[in-house]
Amino acid sequence: MRVEVDWARCDGNGACVVEAPEVFDLDDDDALVVLDPEPSTALRDKVSAAASACPKRALTIGG
Ligand code: SF4
């Protein structure tokens, strides 16, 4: 599974971090950091929840 971020849309609100902290984090400037751009399928539900929670629709799940 691959996680893609539309960086032009992301505003660093952190909703995805709440849903999938194994995959997403915010740095000290509240900028999104993708900790694991190719998470295991075991995390699919969490990553899907993160994509659904993103108010900017900035997350896409591929592969
Ligand atoms: S929820 Fe969306 S807009 Fe917010 S930090 Fe995550 S990817 Fe960016």
Side-chain angles (χ1 to χ4, degrees):
M1 176 172 50
R2 196 172 56 249
V3 175
E4 291 170 10
V5 180
D6 183 340
W7 294 102
R9 287 176 175 262
C10 176
D11 69 358
N13 59 62
C16 56
V17 180
V18 174
E19 299 294 339
E22 298 90 342
V23 177
F24 303 104
D25 197 5
L26 295 180
D27 70 12
D28 291 342
D29 296 321
D30 284 345
L32 179 65
V33 177
V34 181
L35 301 172
D36 186 357
E38 295 190 8
S40 78
T41 52
L43 290 171
R44 180 173 289 278
D45 286 353
K46 285 189 164 190
V47 175
S48 293
S52 296
C54 176
K56 299 293 184 179
R57 300 181 183 226
L59 297 177
T60 307
I61 303 168

